[in-house]
Amino acid sequence: MPRLQIAVDTFTTQQALLLSDEIYDVVDLFEVGTPMILRDGVHPVRQLKERHPELKVLADTKIVDGGSLECADACAAGADVVTVLAMACDSTIRGVVETAHRFGREVMADLLQVTDIARRARELVAMGVDYVCVHTPVDSQGEGKTTLGDLRELVRAIPPRRAAAAGGINLQTLDVYLAEKPAVIIMGGALCGAPDVRAAALEAKRRVGEA
C-alpha cells in the first residue's frame, strides 16, 4: 500500500509542530522541507521526534556533497528518511546510503533535473537507495509541467515499491498517480494550504489506503 507524505516547506518550526499535533496520526511521513532546513537546520526534525516519537519524519536535506557528514547530522536529529540529490556524485550517494543504513534509517533520492530517469533510477537502486523520487519543482509547475509522465517512466524502470512522486499532486489529480502504484505519494501545498488540513489529509489517506 502506498504511503502518504506531507511536505511542509514554508512553515516556521512552531507552525510545523502545531501542524504535527493535527495530523501525526494520519500521515505516514512528515517532511521537514528544504526551506525549513535552510532556515532552522535539523532542529525541527529533533523537535518533531521529541513531540511525537511515533511520527516518521523525512528530512529533505537534498544532500549534494559531504554525504556521510550531512546524513549523520540528520539521522542524529532523528530523521527516519534522508534525501539526497540523484545528480550528486556516486560517492556522495553511497556515503548517504551507508550512513543512513548504519543508523537504521532510509534514503530517498530526488531526481530533480535528471534527464535519463530510467538509467539513473536503476543506478540508484543498485547503490542501495530505498526510494527514488520523481519531482516537478515548484518553479516549473507554473509552466504546466507535471510529474505523471516521469512517474510512469520511473515505475517501468524500477519496482514501484521503490518509487515516489512529488510536485503539484492534489486531491483532484491524486487518483491518476495512485494508479501507478508508487510506494510514496508526496503532497505539499494541497494539504498544507487546505482550509482544514486534517480533513484534507484524512481524505488523501483514505484514497491512498484504497489504492
Side-chain angles (χ1 to χ4, degrees):
M1 183 178 76
R3 293 197 287 172
L4 175 64
Q5 176 176 321
I6 185 170
V8 184
D9 290 325
T10 61
F11 285 22
T12 65
T13 295
Q14 186 58 33
Q15 288 171 328
L17 291 171
L18 293 173
L19 176 64
S20 73
D21 293 341
E22 290 187 58
I23 60 169
Y24 73 93
D25 58 338
V26 179
V27 299
D28 300 299
L29 287 165
F30 190 106
E31 174 188 328
V32 176
T34 311
M36 198 187 309
I37 287 175
L38 286 172
R39 273 196 315 271
D40 300 335
V42 294
H43 301 298
V45 175
R46 183 175 290 108
Q47 291 179 57
L48 282 162
K49 293 299 289 188
E50 289 171 352
R51 195 175 186 109
H52 298 292
E54 71 281 19
L55 181 63
K56 298 294 184 185
V57 176
L58 178 143
D60 194 15
T61 44
K62 290 189 176 73
I63 295 170
V64 73
D65 191 16
S68 298
L69 174 65
E70 294 186 11
C71 182
D73 286 343
C75 290
D80 298 283
V81 185
V82 177
T83 68
V84 62
L85 285 180
M87 67 171 65
C89 67
D90 288 359
S91 11
T92 295
I93 292 169
R94 290 192 185 99
V96 172
V97 169
E98 290 167 6
T99 303
H101 289 177
R102 187 172 72 249
F103 275 88
R105 314 299 167 76
E106 294 182 306
V107 175
M108 180 181 289
D110 191 321
L111 287 164
L112 274 170
Q113 294 302 107
V114 169
T115 52
D116 192 338
I117 287 172
R119 179 184 63 79
R120 192 55 172 160
R122 287 191 289 263
E123 292 172 349
L124 292 163
V125 168
M127 284 187 275
V129 167
D130 300 284
Y131 306 103
V132 180
C133 180
V134 287
H135 182 187
T136 299
V138 66
D139 291 340
S140 297
Q141 290 171 32
E143 301 168 4
K145 297 180 181 178
T146 76
T147 305
L148 187 57
D150 290 345
L151 177 60
R152 287 171 173 159
E153 184 176 353
L154 180 65
V155 297
R156 288 196 299 267
I158 64 172
R161 62 185 173 80
R162 307 291 286 273
I169 301 172
N170 55 47
L171 290 173
Q172 288 69 47
T173 60
L174 177 58
D175 291 344
V176 295
Y177 287 92
L178 289 172
E180 303 303 322
K181 306 295 183 185
V184 184
I185 288 283
I186 302 164
M187 300 176 69
L191 299 183
C192 293
D196 186 332
V197 179
R198 182 174 176 84
L202 282 168
E203 173 61 15
K205 180 64 175 174
R206 179 188 67 78
R207 285 156 64 179
V208 166
E210 292 174 353

